[in-house]
Structure formats: C-alpha cells, structure tokens
Amino acid sequence: MPGVHVTPFPYEYHGITTDMAMDELEQLFKDTLHEDDVAAFIIEPVLGEGGYVPAPADFLKEVRLFANSKRALMICDEVQTGFGRTGSLFASDSDHYGDDVQPDLLCMAKGIASGFPLSAVATYREIADQCDPGMLGGTYAGNALSCAAAVATQKVIHDENLVENSAKMGERLRDNLRNIQQSEVSKGLIGDVRGLGLMTGVEFTKEAEPGIKAKLSQECLKEGLLLLGCSTYEVVRFVPPLNISEEDIDIGCEKFENALRRAL
C-alpha cells in the first residue's frame, strides 16, 4: 500500500530483539522516510494474527518516545487485545507496559460488544477536534442493538470482575501449558508458551511436522475443544471466554494434552 511502511516486530523466540527492531525503524528514516511525511506509527501491543506475541515492555516505550521525536502519533490497535483480554482493560494500559505507554489513538472492536458489529476510536479532544463533523461516520455507526450490547457487555465485565479473572486464569493456563511443554507428551516440540491474560500462544519448534497447527486443531475438535492456528509459523492460540473458571482451564488443557498425544 503506497505510503505504508512495515518494520520488524520484536519476536524474541525468533531472535528479533527490541534493539534490532528499533534499529530497523531508525534505519527506515535514514534511508527512505522524512519525518514530515510520517503521520503515525501503528502497532498491536500483542500481535494477533501474527502469532500472539506480546511486545516487550521496553519496545512500546521506545516506540512512544520515537513517535514523539518525529512529531507523529502513536496508534495502538487493540481490536483483539481490548476489554480484558490481556488481563487489563487494554493491553497498552497494563502493568506489563507501565505508565509510559499511552497511545494518541486507541482502536477497539470485538470485545466491546461481545461480537456484535461495533468499533470505536478513542483519542484526545485536541486530536478529535481536527476532524470535520461526520468524518469518522459510517453506514452502521451507532447501531442501536450493538450499542445496547456494548453497554451490557461493559457492565458484566465490571460487575463480574472479568479483567481480574482474565489475569488470574491466564497465569493458570500458561502454567498448565508449560507443564505440558516440559512433559514427554510434547516430545520437545513445543518451543514457546507466551501471552498476557487470556491471550496465549503456543509455538512449535522448526522440528515439528509442517502443518502441525492444522492437524492439532482437528484433533482438538475431536476432544470438543475449539482451537485455531495463527501466524506463518506453527502457532496455536488459546482465547477462552473471560469468565472461564479454574476447572474449565484444567479441563481444556487436559483435552489439549490428549489431542497432542495423537497429533505428534
């Protein structure tokens, strides 16, 4: 797409560190871009389709500072990560990243209304005031049913402490998965278990059978467990509901382990 440039995301399992990612970003300005031509930096705090990879805390802080130095906006895409998914209401506002990462624009959808078609953009008044009336409108903007679903969803998230539950159950999920990783069942082929809250990725090593994520998904389906792959690498993702219990976490991991035995 003209005017859009992509640089590497830090992916420590594959050897891409924060320093390497920032070097690539800085080099882009030396080789190709002038800061007057750059409006914004757009980033997912946790890669979604890219593999459920949380950005290192220092990387988001570096991007924030770099955007400031170039007089550009920092936009966080929290369509997948928003509304408790990562154990905080928004990933960019989590303890993992601290108080130094505050985007200029925050994009949200999905969890805002429990799957009803609704999205939103939050920003500062001085930025919003630069838009002409109706500039951010759309055919389905303000759909009454979706808005009602959003209000009800936010009430449930608050009243049932689902953000806190996401953080707690996410830790339990990853502990269980790391136990499986260390067991004989995995045959040493699970290379990484990572995530924030109830947004967890399991990545297989390069020695695993090509297509293992699709094969494993089918085996999980036989167990009654819906598990999808993501990324160009062999990654499966765990995205359970925010109100999941400890018992269901353990049952799900048991089903995953059973499926893994047949898939490997």
Side-chain angles (χ1 to χ4, degrees), residues 211-232:
I212 184 60
K213 62 184 175 184
K215 181 179 180 181
L216 181 56
S217 292
Q218 291 301 310
E219 293 298 335
C220 285
L221 185 59
K222 296 175 185 177
E223 292 283 333
L225 179 67
L226 297 176
L227 201 63
L228 294 177
C230 59
S231 176
T232 56

Side-chain angles (χ1 to χ4, degrees), residues 157-210:
I157 289 174
H158 177 270
D159 292 350
E160 298 185 13
N161 298 315
L162 296 189
V163 173
E164 293 81 359
N165 192 67
S166 174
K168 182 180 178 181
M169 293 301 102
E171 290 294 334
R172 187 179 186 91
L173 172 61
R174 284 184 292 280
D175 285 345
N176 286 355
L177 291 173
R178 288 180 179 126
N179 287 336
I180 295 173
Q181 179 186 22
Q182 298 299 321
S183 73
E184 294 181 357
V185 175
S186 75
K187 299 181 179 179
L189 296 177
I190 294 179
D192 195 26
V193 176
R194 55 180 178 254
L196 293 176
L198 287 172
M199 188 172 182
T200 293
V202 172
E203 181 164 348
F204 290 86
T205 67
K206 62 183 180 180
E207 288 77 24
E209 174 188 357

Side-chain angles (χ1 to χ4, degrees), residues 29-220:
F29 277 80
K30 294 176 182 178
D31 295 342
T32 307
L33 300 177
H34 188 278
E35 61 186 56
D36 290 343
D37 298 324
V38 177
F41 298 88
I42 305 175
I43 187 170
E44 287 182 297
V46 182
L47 283 186
E49 300 306 311
Y52 278 37
V53 184
D58 58 343
F59 179 67
L60 281 196
K61 293 177 183 178
E62 290 288 334
V63 172
R64 173 72 276 180
L65 292 173
F66 192 73
N68 291 346
S69 74
K70 301 302 180 184
R71 297 175 297 166
L73 301 178
M74 179 180 177
I75 302 174
C76 279
D77 175 353
E78 297 232 28
V79 169
Q80 289 202 43
T81 56
F83 299 100
R85 174 55 53 192
T86 60
S88 299
L89 193 60
F90 295 101
S92 56
D93 194 38
S94 68
D95 291 341
H96 179 71
Y97 295 116
D99 298 328
D100 299 326
V101 179
Q102 189 164 4
D104 299 298
L105 284 90
L106 183 68
C107 303
M108 62 195 88
K110 293 184 184 289
I112 193 174
S114 297
F116 275 79
L118 191 69
S119 60
V121 177
T123 187
Y124 297 106
R125 180 176 294 278
E126 54 265 34
I127 295 175
D129 286 347
Q130 302 302 309
C131 300
D132 294 330
M135 181 181 289
L136 296 179
T139 302
Y140 301 106
N143 178 276
L145 182 58
S146 294
C147 289
V151 171
T153 295
Q154 302 314 307
K155 187 175 188 303
V156 169
I157 289 174
H158 177 270
D159 292 350
E160 298 185 13
N161 298 315
L162 296 189
V163 173
E164 293 81 359
N165 192 67
S166 174
K168 182 180 178 181
M169 293 301 102
E171 290 294 334
R172 187 179 186 91
L173 172 61
R174 284 184 292 280
D175 285 345
N176 286 355
L177 291 173
R178 288 180 179 126
N179 287 336
I180 295 173
Q181 179 186 22
Q182 298 299 321
S183 73
E184 294 181 357
V185 175
S186 75
K187 299 181 179 179
L189 296 177
I190 294 179
D192 195 26
V193 176
R194 55 180 178 254
L196 293 176
L198 287 172
M199 188 172 182
T200 293
V202 172
E203 181 164 348
F204 290 86
T205 67
K206 62 183 180 180
E207 288 77 24
E209 174 188 357
I212 184 60
K213 62 184 175 184
K215 181 179 180 181
L216 181 56
S217 292
Q218 291 301 310
E219 293 298 335
C220 285

